[in-house]
Amino acid sequence: MPSNVEIKARVDNVSLLASKASSLSQSEGTIIKQRDTFFHCSPPGRLKLRDFMDGSGQLIFYERPDTDGPKLSRFSISLTSDPQTLREVLSGALGVKGEVLKERRLFLIGQTRVHLDTVEGLGHFMELEVVMRPDQTLVEGQQVAQELMKQLDVSEASLVGGAYIDLLQQNRPAS
């Protein structure tokens, strides 16, 4: 299974982080609108359908610890040209855990995907995904993530664990 080393952090100053990421990537980034539908799945994995809202999507299964700081994420991705019908099938078969709507600004810096996300109901976040090479160790991937965190001035205190869906469900009032 392919893997990444990932971190997620809250962002207070979106303009400053975007400027630093733009400078490091030598690009303005790519804007991507996404709707992630999470389905019930056996722990510790997560299953989501990412709808790019343009008729394309990805079904993604991943396993990742819910800890702060750089962590290993293993994943499998299947492309789809009909995310709406696939959502209906999976909703009926597995049930929906929840949805995350976001606008993502993607920057590519070396082997790392830097996401500056505006998540509906949560606010602004940054994710780093160090795309691991087959010969790289977890420690090497973590070092790449930590070095980029320093370059982007991302503090340890701003790191969060879990997925956006978990954060949204924590914020939801009990019924």
Side-chain angles (χ1 to χ4, degrees), residues 37 39 49 51 82-96 99:
T37 304
F39 301 96
L49 176 63
D51 185 343
D82 190 1
Q84 291 180 341
T85 301
L86 186 54
R87 180 182 301 104
E88 291 172 16
V89 170
L90 290 170
S91 296
L94 301 173
V96 172
E99 280 196 343

Side-chain angles (χ1 to χ4, degrees), residues 36-40 95-100 165 168-169 172:
D36 290 345
T37 304
F38 285 79
F39 301 96
H40 294 289
V96 172
K97 183 176 180 181
E99 280 196 343
V100 176
I165 189 68
L168 281 167
Q169 290 180 334
R172 189 174 53 206

Side-chain angles (χ1 to χ4, degrees), residues 77-141:
I77 298 176
S78 178
L79 304 178
T80 180
S81 59
D82 190 1
Q84 291 180 341
T85 301
L86 186 54
R87 180 182 301 104
E88 291 172 16
V89 170
L90 290 170
S91 296
L94 301 173
V96 172
K97 183 176 180 181
E99 280 196 343
V100 176
L101 292 169
K102 66 181 175 255
E103 182 175 279
R104 170 166 279 178
R105 189 168 170 190
L106 168 65
F107 300 92
L108 300 175
I109 302 172
Q111 73 185 90
T112 306
R113 297 170 57 90
V114 177
H115 304 144
L116 184 52
D117 293 337
T118 301
V119 183
E120 192 174 293
L122 287 179
H124 303 287
F125 292 83
M126 185 271 315
E127 288 185 347
L128 298 181
E129 292 180 352
V130 180
V131 181
M132 299 291 287
R133 295 186 306 263
D135 63 329
Q136 262 183 318
T137 66
L138 172 60
V139 171
E140 291 170 329

Side-chain angles (χ1 to χ4, degrees), residues 2-9 46 48 50 60 62-75 104 112-113 115 126-132 138 141-142 145-146 149 159-163:
S3 61
N4 292 329
V5 169
E6 299 182 10
I7 65 125
K8 181 184 293 138
R46 289 191 173 92
K48 68 182 173 185
R50 173 159 290 156
I60 304 167
Y62 66 99
E63 295 176 318
R64 180 188 70 214
D66 291 333
T67 57
D68 298 350
K71 56 202 156 271
L72 186 67
S73 174
R74 297 186 189 280
F75 59 91
R104 170 166 279 178
T112 306
R113 297 170 57 90
H115 304 144
M126 185 271 315
E127 288 185 347
L128 298 181
E129 292 180 352
V130 180
V131 181
M132 299 291 287
L138 172 60
Q142 289 172 325
Q146 289 169 335
M149 283 173 59
L159 297 178
V160 295

